[in-house]
């Protein structure tokens, strides 16, 4: 209550010497600025949320596609080469789920729309160095490993190509047949060693979190589009408010300011005995009531003046 009174007093001091139209414009500007700030903040949050939902939906759709490729490879491709894989005499990269998923995603990236998207099954000790986790991804894998309940992470990250939104999901090493390629170099197929060497991708243990499935979706364009929409809406809102203020000012000047100015001038003339015409009452609103009140006051004043004149005579 005290703060409200203080604000009221400050407002009165600021507007004390302003004319009625200026006071009204001052109030309109305060309302206008408040509306712009509050509306801009709310709309910015809504646009950011919508942009993030769009990015998340894109990421989830691509992850679902990659998981479908992985499942197809595991369920349909591997059984076709089961004998060769058991003999361990030949290494077939196409039977590796992560290899198939990466190849399919590389084909997706040939589309201009997806060229900046990145799919990676980041691994602590990968067979193919292209899958090696960087420091950021290694941290995610370690968090997955230390917290079994944590199966997914998401957020924003700066990449050389720009700001990206990522979704990372835990992938456990739980397929015993994979140990023939990832336990020790002497058990791995010679064709695998010929392709990838004997230094990488070994020492894996079952039921350990050693890699994470990560999709990176470029966010700059989507966020820029949201920012452009925000500026467009704010510009339209400012234009609408400017038109409203202009129209209100014109109506205010015509319906309030001009009648009050006429009443004020006539009242000043009557007070000095220089006017005999009545105050114009063109409406029944507050201005009309004011004019009628001045007319009654003028009549009372004229009667009083005549009585005084007659008494003096």
């Amino acid at each position: 209550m005290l703060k409200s009174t203080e604000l009221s007093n400050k407002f009165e001091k600021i507007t004390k010497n302003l004319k009625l139209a200026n006071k009204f414009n001052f109030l309109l500007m305060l309302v206008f600025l408040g509306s712009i700030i509050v509306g801009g903040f709310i709309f910015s949050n809504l646009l950011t949320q919508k942009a993030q939902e769009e990015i998340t939906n894109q990421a989830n759709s691509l992850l679902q596609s990659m998981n479908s490729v992985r499942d197809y490879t595991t369920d349909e491709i591997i059984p076709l080469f089961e004998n060769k894989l058991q003999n361990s005499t030949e290494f077939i990269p196409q039977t590796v789920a992560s290899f198939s998923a990466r190849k399919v995603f590389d084909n997706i990236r040939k589309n201009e729309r997806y060229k900046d998207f990145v799919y990676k099954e980041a691994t602590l000790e990968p067979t193919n160095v292209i899958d090696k986790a960087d420091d950021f991804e290694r941290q995610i894998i370690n968090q997955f490993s230390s917290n079994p309940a944590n199966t997914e992470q998401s957020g924003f990250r700066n990449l050389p190509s720009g700001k990206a939104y990522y979704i990372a999901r835990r992938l456990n090493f739980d397929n015993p047949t994979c140990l023939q390629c990832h336990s020790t170099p002497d058990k791995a197929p010679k064709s695998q060693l010929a392709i990838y060497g004997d230094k990488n991708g070994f020492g894996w243990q079952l039921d350990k979190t050693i890699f994470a499935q990560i999709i990176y979706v470029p966010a700059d364009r989507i966020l820029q589009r949201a920012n452009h929409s925000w500026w467009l809406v704010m510009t339209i809102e400012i234009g609408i408010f400017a038109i409203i203020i202009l129209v209100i000012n014109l109506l205010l000047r015509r319906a309030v300011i001009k009648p009050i100015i006429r009443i004020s001038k006539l009242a000043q003339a009557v007070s000095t005995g220089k006017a005999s015409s009545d105050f114009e009452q063109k409406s029944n609103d507050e201005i009309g009531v004011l004019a009628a009140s001045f007319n009654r006051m003028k009549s009372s004043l004229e009667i009083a003046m005549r009585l005084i004149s007659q008494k003096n005579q």
Side-chain angles (χ1 to χ4, degrees):
M1 184 67 180
L2 181 61
K3 289 184 177 180
S4 177
T5 304
E6 291 177 354
L7 290 174
S8 178
N9 292 334
K10 288 182 178 179
F11 177 78
E12 288 180 0
K13 288 181 180 179
I14 293 173
T15 60
K16 181 178 180 180
N17 297 320
L18 295 179
K19 293 183 179 180
L20 182 61
N22 293 333
K23 288 182 180 180
F24 194 78
N25 281 327
F26 183 74
L27 287 173
L28 279 178
M29 289 301 297
L30 289 179
V31 173
F32 166 73
L33 290 175
S35 300
I36 289 295
I37 293 172
V38 174
F41 178 76
I42 294 175
F43 190 65
S44 176
N45 286 339
L46 289 175
L47 282 176
T48 301
Q49 183 179 353
K50 187 177 183 301
Q52 188 162 337
E53 287 178 357
E54 181 181 348
I55 296 170
T56 303
N57 289 337
Q58 289 184 355
N60 282 325
S61 297
L62 288 171
L63 279 177
Q64 185 175 358
S65 299
M66 295 304 99
N67 285 330
S68 297
V69 173
R70 289 177 57 86
D71 292 341
Y72 176 78
T73 302
T74 302
D75 298 337
E76 303 292 337
I77 302 301
I78 291 180
L80 296 177
F81 297 90
E82 189 171 1
N83 291 332
K84 290 185 177 181
L85 293 175
Q86 288 178 348
N87 295 332
S88 299
T89 58
E90 184 178 358
F91 175 70
I92 305 174
Q94 289 76 13
T95 61
V96 180
S98 60
F99 178 89
S100 299
R102 187 171 62 250
K103 285 295 184 181
V104 170
F105 196 82
D106 286 342
N107 287 332
I108 293 176
R109 292 186 64 202
K110 292 178 181 179
N111 188 313
E112 183 69 19
R113 179 181 176 184
Y114 298 103
K115 68 176 183 178
D116 293 326
F117 287 63
V118 178
Y119 174 78
K120 186 175 181 181
E121 295 189 9
T123 312
L124 297 179
E125 293 296 335
T127 301
N128 191 341
V129 292
I130 196 173
D131 297 323
K132 189 172 183 61
D134 59 26
D135 292 338
F136 179 84
E137 296 160 345
R138 183 179 292 272
Q139 185 178 1
I140 292 177
I141 296 173
N142 291 334
Q143 289 174 355
F144 283 153
S145 179
S146 61
N147 183 9
N150 185 9
T151 59
E152 182 175 310
Q153 288 189 24
S154 61
F156 289 93
R157 179 189 179 185
N158 290 322
L159 296 177
S161 58
K163 191 174 185 179
Y165 180 80
Y166 73 90
I167 293 180
R169 292 177 179 171
R170 173 204 298 272
L171 285 177
N172 287 333
F173 181 58
D174 54 7
N175 190 346
T177 60
C178 294
L179 286 175
Q180 64 182 358
C181 296
H182 298 289
S183 56
T184 57
D186 58 291
K187 296 181 180 180
K190 292 182 179 180
S191 55
Q192 174 188 341
L193 299 178
I195 297 173
Y196 298 110
D198 59 357
K199 303 299 182 183
N200 302 311
F202 300 105
W204 293 14
Q205 299 179 20
L206 286 176
D207 300 322
K208 294 292 185 180
T209 303
I210 59 175
F211 42 75
Q213 185 184 35
I214 305 176
I215 185 79
Y216 294 101
V217 178
D220 280 339
R221 282 179 293 179
I222 297 176
L223 293 176
Q224 286 174 2
R225 190 162 63 244
N227 187 51
H228 176 75
S229 298
W230 185 85
W231 279 109
L232 179 62
V233 171
M234 287 298 100
T235 301
I236 294 174
E237 186 176 354
I238 290 173
I240 291 174
F241 269 104
I243 294 173
I244 291 174
I245 290 176
L246 178 62
V247 172
I248 289 177
N249 269 273
L250 292 174
L251 295 176
L252 178 68
R253 184 171 183 81
R254 180 176 179 180
V256 179
I257 303 300
K258 284 186 176 181
I260 288 179
I261 291 175
R262 286 197 299 267
I263 292 174
S264 176
K265 289 182 178 180
L266 187 56
Q268 186 176 3
V270 169
S271 67
T272 58
K274 297 180 180 179
S276 58
S277 58
D278 292 334
F279 295 90
E280 294 183 2
Q281 185 180 358
K282 295 182 177 181
S283 62
N284 294 321
D285 57 11
E286 288 80 357
I287 302 298
V289 173
L290 179 63
S293 299
F294 270 104
N295 282 328
R296 288 193 297 270
M297 183 183 68
K298 180 174 175 292
S299 299
S300 299
L301 181 61
E302 289 174 348
I303 292 171
M305 293 298 293
R306 283 200 300 269
L307 291 175
I308 292 172
S309 178
Q310 291 174 1
K311 185 178 180 180
N312 290 335
Q313 290 176 358

